[in-house]
Amino acid sequence: MKVKIDYAQAREILESQTIGALGVERVFLYEALGRILARDVVAIQDMPQSARSNMDGYAINSKFLQENATQEFKILGENPAGNAQDSVLPLHQPFAIKTFTGAEIPQNADILAPIEQVKVESETLRLLEIPKVGQYICQKGANYRKGEKLISKGVRLNANHIGLLASLNCVFVEVFTRAKVGILVIGNELLELGESAKNGANIYNTNGHLLVAKVLENGGIPKLYPILKDTKEQVEECVNLALSECDLILSSGGASVGDYDFIAAICKERENEMVFKGVKIKPGQHISYAHFGGKQFFGLPGFPNSTLVTFELFAKEILWRLNGGYFVPITLEILLQENVSKTDSRLEFRVCNVRNVGGKWKIDFEGKKDFQSAILNNFCPLDSAYNGLCVLDSAKSVGEMVRVILLI
């Protein structure tokens, strides 16, 4: 077990873990939204299967324009989208077929003249502008070719992917099984939502419901266990229950070094299953990571800010890998517009507002309070700013570049 390690070392350890997906299942198309794709999606045919019109216009053959740029064309008829009959443009004299958006380009036609660029009189048309060959036409296979990979295994499916899968007539989609995540919160002072506070020392189960939402956000299946009191027997019993029922366990509280920190005590007893305990960061230095009974376990600190930050920095990656994906955080290098003080020697992840101003990323700390306070409003900006974690190894001055992890 590694103890009180640097953040970089903790990251190396996480990345080196051998964690496979839990399984594969077939789900209905809509149920695949937000899931991790388990098989590459490959085109089974060209799309479109034949040349299609990109707009309403008239299909003609360019050879008649080469002979006479002012050539008149006789209109033979209409070719609507979905036309079940093959449309053929005769070539023995200049003909045109009115062809609507999405319709198959008639055989022998290689130019589509938009309706805005022609003059029609009775059954005859004359071009006001001469389009290029192939212009305004979606050629066969222009979207994709048969055998082309369209979505890669391991991608988390969004609404755009669902639309593409629908175009491929995919009724069912193979995705990785979602990890079951047990959430344990510990503390005599905690009340469940809906309970009445008995005194000013009581606080509501913020961390439990925060973690439920975080697990859902990241594709897991949360199971929130009843609040645990500060007794070693109850904590140990619930840890063992969660290990039997879940793939990943997140505990909040009891991870420090006090008399009632029973997660820390359990970690000490199961030292041979510990991966690391303690990382030199602020907030969240008392985080622990273990393989209890072959299951993934994180002991997160009890302050809500610390719980949130350590979930983002550590537990999130393991959850994604259990779900069959791989999470890559978005990091930005941003020029500071203000001085930032720092006295603690630990690597600090300070919450900040991230804004895109005139195409450039900027950060500020407006409305952000001391991380020592057990508050979450630091992460709930009153305006449209993004949340970010500004990574500070020392005090910084105006004009210096800082690394920012975007929280989205």
Side-chain angles (χ1 to χ4, degrees):
M1 174 179 65
K2 303 290 185 179
V3 180
K4 294 182 181 178
I5 58 177
D6 293 330
Y7 176 68
Q9 188 178 2
R11 291 295 315 160
E12 288 177 5
I13 290 172
L14 282 183
E15 290 168 6
S16 69
Q17 300 301 299
T18 303
I19 299 173
L22 298 169
V24 175
E25 58 186 347
R26 295 175 74 240
V27 299
F28 181 65
L29 177 63
Y30 296 156
E31 295 172 346
L33 183 64
R35 301 290 294 273
I36 306 295
L37 188 65
R39 302 280 186 272
D40 290 341
V41 173
V42 177
I44 60 172
Q45 61 188 20
D46 292 346
M47 177 56 70
Q49 296 181 62
S50 58
R52 302 280 169 174
S53 171
N54 277 339
M55 57 198 316
D56 295 343
Y58 291 85
I60 60 177
N61 187 281
S62 59
K63 81 167 191 172
F64 295 102
L65 294 177
Q66 295 167 3
E67 296 171 359
N68 182 356
T70 61
Q71 179 71 61
E72 291 184 345
F73 293 82
K74 183 178 180 182
I75 300 171
L76 289 183
E78 295 186 344
N79 176 31
N83 188 2
Q85 297 181 341
D86 290 337
S87 184
V88 180
L89 184 72
L91 293 180
H92 61 278
Q93 64 182 73
F95 288 113
I97 296 176
K98 190 172 186 180
T99 300
F100 294 87
T101 302
E104 187 174 356
I105 295 296
Q107 184 179 332
N108 298 328
D110 59 0
I111 283 181
L112 185 80
I115 56 175
E116 299 86 355
Q117 297 180 14
V118 302
K119 182 178 181 180
V120 177
E121 294 179 352
S122 185
E123 295 182 357
T124 302
L125 76 81
R126 185 186 300 276
L127 300 184
L128 302 177
E129 298 180 35
I130 301 177
K132 296 178 181 179
V133 171
Q135 191 177 4
Y136 311 119
I137 296 174
C138 183
Q139 300 295 338
K140 176 183 178 182
N143 293 345
Y144 48 78
R145 293 284 186 181
K146 181 179 179 180
E148 182 180 342
K149 184 164 69 174
L150 303 179
I151 314 176
S152 296
K153 171 184 174 180
V155 167
R156 191 178 189 192
L157 298 172
N158 60 30
N160 305 329
H161 298 123
I162 298 300
L164 177 57
L165 290 166
S167 75
L168 297 168
N169 193 30
C170 290
V171 180
F172 294 98
V173 185
E174 288 190 78
V175 293
F176 287 112
T177 303
R178 299 165 67 196
K180 298 182 180 69
V181 182
I183 299 168
L184 285 60
V185 288
I186 304 155
N188 290 337
E189 75 281 14
L190 297 177
L191 295 176
E192 194 46 90
L193 304 187
E195 291 187 277
S196 297
K198 299 176 178 63
N199 54 60
N202 290 135
I203 58 175
Y204 287 102
N205 184 9
T206 301
N207 290 353
H209 297 284
L210 167 66
L211 289 172
V212 165
K214 280 293 178 183
V215 169
L216 287 170
E217 251 183 6
N218 290 279
I221 302 173
K223 179 171 183 177
L224 179 60
Y225 289 86
I227 294 170
L228 299 173
K229 298 304 180 184
D230 287 317
T231 68
K232 186 174 185 296
E233 294 74 18
Q234 189 178 107
V235 172
E236 195 167 44
E237 181 181 347
C238 195
V239 167
N240 289 330
L241 176 62
L243 288 170
S244 71
E245 296 179 334
C246 302
D247 307 298
L248 167 64
I249 293 86
L250 306 176
S251 72
S252 175
S256 188
V257 293
D259 292 342
Y260 295 97
D261 291 318
F262 294 116
I263 289 294
I266 291 170
C267 290
K268 186 174 182 180
E269 290 176 0
R270 305 181 70 158
E271 188 173 311
N272 62 323
E273 296 178 280
M274 295 295 299
V275 180
F276 62 73
K277 179 171 174 53
V279 180
K280 290 182 281 188
I281 59 173
K282 177 184 178 181
Q285 68 176 339
H286 294 298
I287 182 172
S288 56
Y289 174 46
H291 298 159
F292 286 160
K295 301 290 183 71
Q296 304 291 316
F297 176 90
F298 282 97
L300 307 180
F303 280 127
N305 282 333
S306 300
T307 297
L308 193 155
V309 170
T310 50
F311 176 89
E312 291 287 341
L313 296 180
F314 301 101
K316 187 174 186 174
E317 177 175 332
I318 298 302
L319 173 55
W320 271 68
R321 288 168 70 179
L322 287 170
N323 284 340
Y326 193 87
F327 178 75
V328 180
I330 298 174
T331 59
L332 307 170
E333 295 289 331
I334 299 180
L335 195 70
L336 273 178
Q337 306 293 311
E338 59 185 284
N339 295 329
V340 179
S341 62
K342 183 179 183 297
T343 57
D344 197 300
S345 62
R346 291 171 293 170
L347 183 67
E348 183 176 350
F349 295 86
R350 190 175 300 180
V351 65
C352 60
N353 300 307
V354 184
R355 310 175 196 275
N356 190 306
V357 181
K360 294 183 178 180
W361 291 105
K362 295 185 178 181
I363 65 168
D364 63 71
F365 301 90
E366 183 180 348
K368 304 307 183 188
K369 301 181 181 180
D370 193 315
F371 245 140
Q372 297 303 316
S373 302
I375 53 176
L376 284 174
N377 42 303
N378 267 353
F379 293 89
C380 301
L382 295 175
D383 57 20
S384 58
Y386 294 106
N387 281 315
L389 294 176
C390 181
V391 185
L392 299 171
D393 56 1
S394 63
K396 300 294 180 182
S397 303
V398 172
E400 287 192 75
M401 300 294 290
V402 291
R403 185 163 63 96
V404 178
I405 301 171
L406 200 59
L407 301 180
I408 54 174

